[in-house]
Amino acid sequence: LIYFDEAVKADVLRRLAGACRPDGYLFLGGAETASSAGGLWTADPTHPGLWSPGARREATPAGKLVAAR
């Protein structure tokens, strides 16, 4: 995620939130964060890099993720 611009990062995090099960997790490296996703992900305070789906879930639209050019 650190190599994407903010718009692409937000889109990827939104799609992942829509695809993640309510009891699922997102694992991110030390240089990455999901805090820019507008509340879609909640950081685990006891496990750095571990994020769970936030309260505002959006359905993932059908389609593929497209890499930024």
Side-chain angles (χ1 to χ4, degrees):
L1 292 175
I2 62 173
Y3 299 107
F4 296 135
D5 64 34
E6 290 302 315
V8 173
K9 186 186 306 186
D11 184 52
V12 169
L13 290 169
R14 181 186 58 79
R15 289 172 184 247
L16 287 171
C20 188
R21 292 175 30 165
D23 60 346
Y25 292 97
L26 174 65
F27 295 91
L28 295 177
E32 300 171 319
T33 181
S35 60
S36 64
L40 293 176
W41 294 97
T42 303
D44 186 310
T46 59
H47 298 91
L50 185 62
W51 296 75
S52 59
R56 295 184 344 200
R57 298 288 306 273
E58 298 177 19
T60 302
K64 299 183 230 177
L65 291 175
V66 179
R69 294 180 184 248

